[in-house]
Each structure stands twice: as structure tokens, then as C-alpha cells.
Amino acid sequence: MVDFETFKGLGILEFTDKFSDDNKCKEYLYEKKWNNGFVCKKCSHDVALNSSALYLKQCKKCLHIESCTSGTLFHKVKFPLRKAFYILFTMSNTSKGSSSLNLSKLLLINRNTAWLFQQKIRIAMESSKNYPLNGKVVVDETYVGGKEIGHQGRGAETKQKVVIAIESTPDEDGIKRVYAMHIESASASELKKIFEAHISKSADIKTDKWSGYSPLKSVWNIQQEKSKGGENFELMNRFCMGLKGWLRGIYHHVDPAFLQKYLDEYCYRFNRSIYKETAFDKLIDRMMQSKPSPYKSFNITT
Ligand SMILES: [Zn+2]
């Protein structure tokens, strides 16, 4: 590693000082991408003609030119990188993130542009599934979204089912890590998805008495307890209230087609809330390591 300082900090002023123009953002991405060496994407040759002033490298053998953003989630971002960095900062370093409407007003960009870039960030926030929950784990389902009782009109919004898995701290007083998954129903086959993706087979799991969990006992160690007015599922209830409050407060309405992305965002931040100092830098790493995602892949017609 050569002399390269990652951004560590919590303050917006430190942040805007460090990334005061687009070139400083490109410089950061350039270092992130090639600080550990160069390998040509086309021919795997490892010597490049340096063009650090232009924030790109050219392979010495096949002359292929690569920019610091190509092959990453920054590919073809259609507005100044400084604004993209600001969106990353709000989504990593604040406790609640920000809506696309709010970002569009703050940064003077089109709301859809802000929303689409946020969707890319949410891709970077998806779990790697490499570190399944272990130890004491609680699993339960809840509903989010939809019209509240008493609201007028009959919109197309319906409540969506979400299954949540929480690993508690050893004293069972707090939440260590959590994952949430949008599911079609509370059938065993739907519930199984979160177990397969996020829960270790050696975990000590608690659920309520719902029959959908019974078939999973052949693989996972599940104890089923009758819920005593939620008292014995207190961490779960606390987490669900926080999640629902966030969805209502920041997004008001969540299209079911994108609900999983919002759940990924919420859990990503929740699971890293004790590592705030490096949150921005780590999210940049993930943006650099994820494959580009063309806007058309979001399948929207706006
Ligand atoms: Zn090459």
C-alpha cells in the first residue's frame, strides 16, 4: 500500500472539505481501485501506463483504457461525483438515511436520478451472506406498509409480510446483528429462505408457535414458545417498531417491488452502527467491488 488515507470521520464539514470537488472524489476512487496494483481487465497484464491526472489507467500491453469508475457501481453516474459522495455519506453516516425527495432538494438534482443512485447504493448494501447469525437467534414475522386502519380510501397498497432474524448479544439484552426478508407468505417454504440465507445450523433459535416453523426443525435447532403478549420477544418488538417507524417517517410509501432494498438498507446500517467512523469508506469499497447495474435493470417506467 502506498500513501493513501481513507476517510474516517463523522462530521459533514470534514467530509465536504475532503471531497470539495469532483477531482478529489475521482482521486479517492483511483486510489481505492489501484492502490494494491493493476491487472488489465482485457488481457490480465499487470503493467499500466499511468494517467493519474485523468484518473484512468491504460494497459501497456493491449492499450485497453480503464477509468476509475468502470466496472463498479459508479459506472455512468449521470451527475457530479461530489453529489454522489454526499448521498453515500448520508446513507452510511446518518442513523436514518434520506429520502430521494430530500436529496433532490438539497443537491439540486432530479428526484428520479437521486432515487436511482440510492438503489445502486442499496445493491452495495446487500448482505454477502458470508456471516450467518449464530448463538441466540430469534425469528418472527411482521407486516409493513399498507393503509393504516381508519385511513380513507382503498388504495392498491397492501400490507407486506417480512420475516426478521435477530442475533442477540450474549446477555440477550441487545441486538448484535439482524436480517430482514420480504416474503410472500408465512409458509414453511417462504420462511426457510431467511434460515438458508442468514442463520447458522448451529444457532440456538427461538420462534413463536406458528406451524410454518415446524418443518424447519429437521435442519435447524428451533425452540417454539408461545408469545406472552410479546414480553418474551421484546428485542424483536423493539426492532420491528424501529423499522416500521423508519419506513413511515422517511419513505411514507414503499412499493412492494422495492421493499427488499429498503430492508437491506436498514439492516446494513443497523449492523454497522458501532463502526460509524469507517462507515463511509466501507460503503465506497462495496460500491467499487459490486458490478455495474444499468439503470434499465431497475425496471421502472418513470
Ligand atoms: Zn491489457
Side-chain angles (χ1 to χ4, degrees), residues 38-47 58-64:
F38 168 85
V39 176
C40 175
K41 288 267 156 56
K42 293 271 174 213
C43 75
S44 300
H45 188 62
D46 61 0
V47 181
Q58 183 169 29
C59 173
K60 198 171 177 187
K61 194 170 165 195
C62 76
L63 302 181
H64 171 66

Side-chain angles (χ1 to χ4, degrees), residues 141-201:
E141 326 93 63
T142 190
Y143 286 100
V144 302
K147 297 267 184 231
E148 302 288 329
I149 293 164
H151 273 224
Q152 291 194 333
R154 294 222 311 248
E157 294 175 73
T158 52
K159 286 197 177 287
Q160 301 296 310
K161 204 155 200 82
V162 171
V163 59
I164 294 163
I166 288 174
E167 178 183 333
S168 62
T169 52
D171 58 11
E172 294 186 62
D173 252 9
I175 297 174
K176 198 169 162 193
R177 285 186 304 145
V178 58
Y179 293 110
M181 201 179 257
H182 182 198
I183 51 175
E184 299 275 312
S185 70
S187 65
S189 61
E190 283 292 288
L191 292 170
K192 193 180 178 188
K193 291 177 181 172
I194 199 164
F195 284 76
E196 284 182 326
H198 296 299
I199 306 177
S200 161
K201 294 198 172 68

Side-chain angles (χ1 to χ4, degrees), residues 21-47:
D21 60 45
D22 265 29
N23 282 346
K24 287 187 175 148
C25 300
K26 280 185 192 158
E27 197 180 311
Y28 202 76
L29 299 183
Y30 181 90
E31 294 292 347
K32 278 273 168 204
K33 189 162 185 174
W34 290 304
N35 199 25
N36 287 323
F38 168 85
V39 176
C40 175
K41 288 267 156 56
K42 293 271 174 213
C43 75
S44 300
H45 188 62
D46 61 0
V47 181

Side-chain angles (χ1 to χ4, degrees), residues 6 23 26 43 63 67 75 81 86 95 100 106 135 189 247 252 298:
T6 58
N23 282 346
K26 280 185 192 158
C43 75
L63 302 181
S67 76
H75 186 56
L81 263 183
Y86 180 84
S95 56
S100 55
L106 277 174
S189 61
L247 282 170
H252 311 295
F298 295 117

Side-chain angles (χ1 to χ4, degrees), residues 90-273:
T90 49
M91 285 181 71
S92 59
N93 282 49
T94 60
S95 56
K96 294 197 159 95
S98 192
S99 68
S100 55
L101 179 63
N102 196 28
L103 289 169
S104 72
K105 287 179 186 163
L106 277 174
L107 298 172
L108 307 176
I109 54 177
N110 177 285
R111 184 179 178 178
N112 281 339
T113 305
W115 185 87
L116 284 164
F117 186 65
Q118 283 188 292
Q119 288 297 84
K120 293 189 176 200
I121 298 174
R122 292 182 186 112
I123 291 173
M125 287 174 155
E126 280 171 19
S127 163
S128 67
K129 302 191 176 107
N130 290 335
Y131 306 99
L133 304 179
N134 213 337
K136 296 226 180 280
V137 175
V138 184
V139 181
D140 201 4
E141 326 93 63
T142 190
Y143 286 100
V144 302
K147 297 267 184 231
E148 302 288 329
I149 293 164
H151 273 224
Q152 291 194 333
R154 294 222 311 248
E157 294 175 73
T158 52
K159 286 197 177 287
Q160 301 296 310
K161 204 155 200 82
V162 171
V163 59
I164 294 163
I166 288 174
E167 178 183 333
S168 62
T169 52
D171 58 11
E172 294 186 62
D173 252 9
I175 297 174
K176 198 169 162 193
R177 285 186 304 145
V178 58
Y179 293 110
M181 201 179 257
H182 182 198
I183 51 175
E184 299 275 312
S185 70
S187 65
S189 61
E190 283 292 288
L191 292 170
K192 193 180 178 188
K193 291 177 181 172
I194 199 164
F195 284 76
E196 284 182 326
H198 296 299
I199 306 177
S200 161
K201 294 198 172 68
S202 58
D204 186 4
I205 305 157
K206 180 169 91 173
T207 69
D208 63 13
K209 287 280 193 185
W210 171 241
S211 60
Y213 294 107
S214 303
L216 308 178
K217 287 178 175 173
S218 59
V219 180
W220 286 271
N221 172 28
I222 300 172
Q223 300 297 322
Q224 293 194 274
E225 257 180 45
K226 195 170 189 300
S227 172
K228 297 165 194 157
E231 241 175 66
N232 49 343
F233 289 87
E234 204 239 327
L235 285 181
M236 180 61 78
N237 293 341
R238 217 193 299 162
F239 178 81
C240 288
M241 275 174 64
L243 171 66
K244 289 178 195 184
W246 174 72
L247 282 170
R248 257 198 316 269
I250 303 281
Y251 299 112
H252 311 295
H253 159 78
V254 173
D255 184 334
F258 302 112
L259 175 58
Q260 186 59 50
K261 292 261 176 289
Y262 294 96
L263 298 175
D264 289 342
E265 177 189 344
Y266 191 77
C267 292
Y268 179 89
R269 235 181 345 253
F270 195 99
N271 290 341
R272 286 157 186 79
S273 48

